[in-house]
Amino acid sequence: MAATVLVVEDEKEIRELLRRYLERAGYGVLTTGSGAEAVRLLGEGDVDLALLDLGLPDVDGEEVLREARARGRMPVLVLTARTTVEDRIHGLRLGADDYVTKPFSPTEVVLRVGAVLQRTGGTAAGAAPILSYGRNRLRIDEARHEAVLDGTPLELTPTEWGLLTTLASVPGRVYSRYELVNRLRGYEFTGYERTIDSHVKNLRHKLGDVGSELVETVLGVGYRLGWARDP
């Protein structure tokens, strides 16, 4: 069976975004915005990994991390806006298995969850299917974090990968710039929305002659994947 991930995050938008991405990757997901509720859920013993925001409103996230550690070696991946090296070291010394700072890509978080589970002996989600588009010209293997166009692997940055896989999740659906920011970064990040155009330009360049055909612009709205998913 796939692992169950507990998402402890007080911001509802981020919590729901992570839930959607984790469920799409095949994980079972529990969510809460309360540190006290998180401690209760951890005590029930049905959680394989915790995604824990340290900035909780009721119980300090570090206390929840201590409770998780007191209950065994269940892995904990910390989510936080605290970005200094000292903060990271402090979290790791408290027993965190990995550390992700905000703003983050939800795709990256899912990959880190799988890596932590494999490293700690947990049960990762089932392998995601390899999807193909445009009569097998584009193939996306999320489990291997690999995209291949006309037989050539694409060298994509994390943001370009997230952009391509988001558009490919529902071919033909138009995604606004604002929605792409929220899906790629987890929540609105001031100054980032307009840079989506730059990432699209870079992605199209790597896609070569079919870049504009594959990643289509919908004027005044946003972007969509121009190729249909193969049956």
Side-chain angles (χ1 to χ4, degrees), residues 179-199:
E179 186 173 8
L180 288 170
V181 169
N182 278 268
R183 284 176 175 260
L184 295 175
R185 306 303 298 180
Y187 56 94
E188 184 177 8
F189 182 55
T190 303
Y192 190 86
E193 187 175 343
R194 296 304 305 181
T195 68
I196 285 292
D197 294 339
S198 297
H199 291 297

Side-chain angles (χ1 to χ4, degrees), residues 132-154:
S132 63
Y133 306 81
R135 297 182 180 179
N136 207 37
R137 294 188 64 186
L138 172 68
R139 291 168 59 83
I140 296 177
D141 185 343
E142 290 209 31
R144 292 179 177 270
H145 200 72
E146 181 179 70
V148 177
L149 178 64
D150 292 333
T152 301
L154 298 170

Side-chain angles (χ1 to χ4, degrees), residues 7-69:
V7 178
V8 188
E9 166 62 61
D10 66 315
E11 294 189 48
K12 182 178 180 181
E13 293 80 6
I14 300 177
R15 191 166 67 238
E16 289 303 300
L17 184 75
L18 289 171
R19 178 185 59 78
R20 291 195 302 270
Y21 269 74
L22 288 163
E23 288 180 344
R24 190 173 72 180
Y27 294 101
V29 183
L30 301 172
T31 66
T32 181
S34 162
E37 177 72 2
V39 171
R40 184 187 68 80
L41 291 169
L42 290 171
E44 293 179 354
D46 296 326
V47 175
D48 298 295
L49 178 144
L51 274 174
L52 174 62
D53 178 19
L54 292 182
L56 299 173
D58 56 345
V59 176
D60 190 281
E62 291 185 5
E63 182 59 33
V64 178
L65 179 54
R66 291 188 187 96
E67 286 287 335
R69 280 291 151 264

Side-chain angles (χ1 to χ4, degrees), residues 44-142:
E44 293 179 354
D46 296 326
V47 175
D48 298 295
L49 178 144
L51 274 174
L52 174 62
D53 178 19
L54 292 182
L56 299 173
D58 56 345
V59 176
D60 190 281
E62 291 185 5
E63 182 59 33
V64 178
L65 179 54
R66 291 188 187 96
E67 286 287 335
R69 280 291 151 264
R71 298 174 188 277
R73 280 303 306 166
M74 181 201 68
V76 178
L77 197 160
V78 165
L79 306 173
T80 182
R82 305 172 189 175
T83 59
T84 68
V85 173
E86 291 76 12
D87 285 328
R88 284 197 212 102
I89 292 173
H90 182 59
L92 294 170
R93 282 176 175 168
L94 286 175
D97 294 274
D98 203 349
Y99 208 97
V100 180
T101 57
K102 299 178 181 179
F104 54 76
S105 160
T107 300
E108 179 189 0
V109 173
V110 172
L111 291 172
R112 285 178 178 263
V113 165
V116 170
L117 285 169
Q118 289 180 356
R119 189 168 70 240
T120 58
T123 307
I130 299 174
L131 302 177
S132 63
Y133 306 81
R135 297 182 180 179
N136 207 37
R137 294 188 64 186
L138 172 68
R139 291 168 59 83
I140 296 177
D141 185 343
E142 290 209 31

